[in-house]
Amino acid sequence: MARLPRVYIEGILYYVTSKGGHNQSIFRAPSDYLDYIGLIGKYKAQYGFKLFSFVLLPTHLHMLVELKNKIGVSSIMHDINSLYTKMFNSKYSTKGHLFEARFKTTLAEKDSYLLEIVRHMHRHPKRERIVYDPKDYPYSSHHKYLDPTKRVDPDMRDEVEEVFKAI
């Protein structure tokens, strides 16, 4: 059965999750996390989507985006995940799929849920018992909210300010 196309709606939040196939680790070393974050930045600059938060965990990841420029979430995630998979497979001499099937998305109203979703995402490392305090986890956007000098790579200055204005 064919998959239904993803819906493109500007002004709506897309809560994206992507998991490793067979619950395997998609990030094995600190440099893997940094590579993926670099790809987020590359495609954010190329496609112009808004990135409100992200968290990369050993076996899965979460991103909160808002689409722009008629570029769909499928194009964004395909490009990021396929290039990362090629980098990962080359680095670790593996073959095949890294991610489980297709990524998942949940749509949310921006005005009603933006702040709550950002908070929810930033708490994932604590819920997963990776860290005691989310501020200690280096592979999420949480530190970008705490320190204005860290809102680059990927550039999230405008998005963080937008979240703060919603408070």
Side-chain angles (χ1 to χ4, degrees):
M1 184 169 143
R3 292 185 278 192
L4 295 173
R6 302 274 183 184
V7 177
Y8 175 89
I9 307 171
E10 285 195 24
I12 293 290
L13 297 174
Y14 287 75
Y15 186 154
V16 180
T17 58
S18 194
K19 295 181 177 183
H22 307 290
N23 210 28
Q24 72 177 346
S25 291
I26 55 177
F27 306 106
R28 293 184 183 174
S31 61
D32 298 338
Y33 293 93
L34 299 177
D35 288 343
Y36 197 92
I37 291 168
L39 292 175
I40 294 171
K42 172 185 176 173
Y43 287 106
K44 182 181 185 300
Q46 181 175 332
Y47 292 140
F49 62 89
K50 288 185 176 183
L51 175 67
F52 288 101
S53 60
F54 67 87
V55 60
L56 309 181
L57 299 159
T59 60
H60 64 286
L61 61 96
H62 304 264
M63 291 173 41
L64 184 63
V65 301
E66 180 182 347
L67 304 178
K68 298 185 87 163
N69 305 321
K70 305 286 186 214
I71 304 295
V73 70
S74 292
S75 296
I76 295 165
M77 292 308 296
H78 172 268
D79 289 355
I80 293 171
N81 283 354
S82 65
L83 185 52
Y84 179 74
T85 298
K86 289 175 188 172
M87 294 166 65
F88 183 95
N89 285 345
S90 175
K91 181 176 182 178
Y92 295 108
S93 300
T94 57
K95 294 180 181 179
H97 298 284
L98 178 61
F99 292 94
E100 173 184 273
R102 201 174 184 199
F103 62 92
K104 309 269 191 267
T105 57
T106 302
L107 302 180
E109 287 184 34
K110 185 174 170 184
D111 294 337
S112 303
Y113 297 105
L114 177 60
L115 182 59
E116 280 307 309
I117 296 172
V118 169
R119 284 181 180 155
H120 169 79
M121 288 176 67
H122 288 161
R123 292 181 184 137
H124 271 285
K126 181 175 180 161
R127 279 193 298 279
E128 298 274 332
R129 300 177 195 257
I130 298 171
V131 294
Y132 179 75
D133 191 326
K135 73 176 175 15
D136 297 328
Y137 192 69
Y139 311 116
S140 83
S141 55
H142 187 69
H143 60 279
K144 294 177 181 290
Y145 284 81
L146 301 176
D147 184 350
T149 65
K150 295 184 178 178
R151 294 183 186 156
V152 294
D153 301 321
D155 185 354
M156 293 177 60
R157 292 174 290 190
D158 293 340
E159 291 92 330
V160 171
E161 290 303 317
E162 190 172 336
V163 172
F164 285 150
K165 286 179 185 173
I167 296 174

